[in-house]
Amino acid sequence: MHIRSLRESDIEPLCAMMNEIASRGEAFVYDAPFTPREMEAYLAGFPAQFVAEVDGRIVGGYVLRPNLPGRGAHIANAAYMVAGSARGLGVGRRLGEHSLVEAKLRGFTALQFNAVVASNAPAVTLWKRLGFQIIGTVPRGFHHADGQFHDLHIMHRSL
Amino acid sequence: MHIRSLRESDIEPLCAMMNEIASRGEAFVYDAPFTPREMEAYLAGFPAQFVAEVDGRIVGGYVLRPNLPGRGAHIANAAYMVAGSARGLGVGRRLGEHSLVEAKLRGFTALQFNAVVASNAPAVTLWKRLGFQIIGTVPRGFHHADGQFHDLHIMHRSL
């Protein structure tokens, strides 16, 4: 597995991956499919964009940005995705580790996630293993595909 | 004091108010002044926009939007400002109360703030009085004008 900077030709496969994950309604807040053009606009909101590649195939990716502007811009925020077909291969872990190094290289002092679905145990477990702490929980912040409202964790790790 | 919907002619006074507050570096993350055009773009990101008026003069305002898209869009987020010259007159409290009613009318189930500067005691006290709870704290999330990094509270109130 190789992690490299995003290229324009990655947008379509990433868009398909995004829509596949969003359609499950378990982890991402987006509830309508992105067109490749909307995906490009979404990605453009993040100054750092990486993909994970195996044998020329995109199996995941992440994007990184300041969590807040100005006086809050020293803390990073990131979003990750892993293709359903590549689950269990450690792609998320590799992307997470890469993002921690990348965020530190860029001068961020911490990495923060604002909306980790509390019932998404693989994600919560991964982030805890990588040193993140749950610093807050939004009660019933996520309208899950099961029809229930699940809690959202805010997770944070100093760099 | 009268709270009403924003008009185009309010953008310039609101912009001056925003820049006055931001220049103190104690409460808002924005660290560079907005032009009126940038202020207009900022406000346009919020579907609900209100100002507080006293004798035809704008003394404060707030804007309201979903805190997250899609599956997180049932929780509102808002931003408030009060003119320095109108401090201590209860403008913030009136705006806060108005926003709770407005958010409930619009079908939101809760109101959440993501970045309340922990050292901004008047704000933290006001939100607690209005029923908000601190549901999380981002350590050193705000680069205050005093040169130190202050904590940021995430505050939440069910509607």
Side-chain angles (χ1 to χ4, degrees), chain B residues 74-89:
Chain B
H74 55 290
I75 297 186
N77 170 244
Y80 306 79
M81 61 183 107
V82 176
S85 60
R87 280 179 168 185
L89 302 178

Side-chain angles (χ1 to χ4, degrees), chain A residues 130-154:
Chain A
L130 290 181
F132 286 80
Q133 287 185 298
I134 296 170
I135 58 165
T137 299
V138 181
R140 302 167 60 80
F142 185 80
H143 195 183
H144 193 280
D146 69 7
Q148 305 299 307
F149 289 88
H150 294 215
D151 292 348
L152 284 176
H153 290 321
I154 297 146

Side-chain angles (χ1 to χ4, degrees), chain A residues 29 71 74 135-136 140-141 143, chain B residues 29 70-71 74 135-136 140-141 143:
Chain A
V29 290
R71 296 185 176 279
H74 54 289
I135 58 165
R140 302 167 60 80
H143 195 183
Chain B
V29 289
R71 296 185 177 278
H74 55 290
I135 59 165
R140 302 166 60 82
H143 195 183

Side-chain angles (χ1 to χ4, degrees), chain A residues 3-4 6 14 17 21 28 43 49-53 58-63 79-83 91-92 95-96:
Chain A
I3 297 180
R4 61 160 175 80
L6 178 92
L14 275 187
M17 195 183 302
I21 300 168
F28 282 179
L43 295 169
Q49 311 161 329
F50 294 90
V51 294
E53 198 177 46
I58 305 301
V59 294
Y62 79 91
V63 283
Y80 306 79
M81 60 183 105
V82 175
V91 178
L95 291 172

Side-chain angles (χ1 to χ4, degrees), chain B residues 25-50:
Chain B
E26 299 166 350
F28 282 0
V29 289
Y30 307 101
D31 57 356
F34 278 26
T35 64
R37 188 177 289 258
E38 287 167 341
M39 185 70 188
E40 192 173 1
Y42 169 77
L43 295 169
F46 296 81
Q49 312 161 327
F50 294 91

Side-chain angles (χ1 to χ4, degrees), chain A residues 19-27 82-84 87 144-146, chain B residues 71:
Chain A
N19 291 341
E20 174 208 335
I21 300 168
S23 73
R24 290 199 291 270
E26 300 167 348
V82 175
R87 279 179 167 186
H144 193 280
D146 69 7
Chain B
R71 296 185 177 278

